[in-house]
């Protein structure tokens, strides 16, 4: 998986070009660029074995304009993504437990 992610990041770098005003950290997908590039989000969710959640995650936070509930700007989308994945896994476990009854 990591090899695939590097190839996509390399292709994005070529696409953006060296004359772009985007910094090196933003091109690497470290989590500090807001809004994140959708392909970086897709890679992250794919690495966590939940690729179907990437689109929902992006749409949800786009509705919130990438701000917290209190109106502060989000600093790192990967922290939010990790929480999102944890919550979805807990929901799946709960649904599996309740499906027995």
């Amino acid at each position: 998986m990591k090899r695939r992610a590097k190839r996509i990041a390399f292709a994005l770098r070529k696409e953006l070009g060296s004359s772009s005003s985007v910094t090196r950290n933003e091109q690497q997908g470290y989590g500090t660029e807001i809004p994140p590039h959708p392909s970086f989000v897709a890679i992250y969710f794919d690495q966590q074995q939940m690729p179907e959640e990437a689109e929902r995650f992006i749409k949800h936070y786009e509705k919130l304009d990438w701000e917290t509930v209190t109106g502060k700007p989000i600093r790192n989308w990967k922290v939010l993504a990790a929480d999102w994945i944890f919550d979805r896994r807990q929901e799946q476990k709960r649904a599996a437990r309740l499906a027995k009854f």
Side-chain angles (χ1 to χ4, degrees), residues 25-40:
N25 285 349
E26 290 178 337
Q27 292 179 1
Q28 295 296 322
Y30 290 126
T32 55
E33 67 276 0
I34 303 296
H37 197 282
S39 65
F40 290 139

Side-chain angles (χ1 to χ4, degrees), residues 1-53:
M1 289 294 178
K2 287 187 178 182
R3 187 173 188 120
R4 178 174 160 214
K6 287 180 183 176
R7 287 183 184 156
I8 291 174
F10 179 74
L12 286 173
R13 244 182 282 144
K14 276 185 165 179
E15 208 175 273
L16 293 172
S18 60
S19 63
S20 176
S21 63
V22 178
T23 64
R24 181 174 169 87
N25 285 349
E26 290 178 337
Q27 292 179 1
Q28 295 296 322
Y30 290 126
T32 55
E33 67 276 0
I34 303 296
H37 197 282
S39 65
F40 290 139
V41 176
I43 290 168
Y44 184 79
F45 277 85
D46 189 42
Q47 289 173 342
Q48 302 298 322
Q49 286 81 37
M50 296 195 84
E52 66 281 350
E53 292 293 324

Side-chain angles (χ1 to χ4, degrees), residues 43-96:
I43 290 168
Y44 184 79
F45 277 85
D46 189 42
Q47 289 173 342
Q48 302 298 322
Q49 286 81 37
M50 296 195 84
E52 66 281 350
E53 292 293 324
E55 188 68 27
R56 290 187 203 129
F57 172 79
I58 291 173
K59 285 182 181 179
H60 175 76
Y61 283 103
E62 281 179 349
K63 286 181 187 175
L64 297 175
D65 293 325
W66 296 97
E67 293 180 347
T68 63
V69 178
T70 59
K72 294 180 181 177
I74 293 170
R75 294 186 192 179
N76 191 331
W77 64 264
K78 284 190 177 182
V79 173
L80 294 174
D83 289 342
W84 182 278
I85 291 168
F86 178 79
D87 291 343
R88 294 302 172 258
R89 287 187 177 146
Q90 295 304 313
E91 287 175 10
Q92 289 173 350
K93 287 178 185 179
R94 183 174 182 268

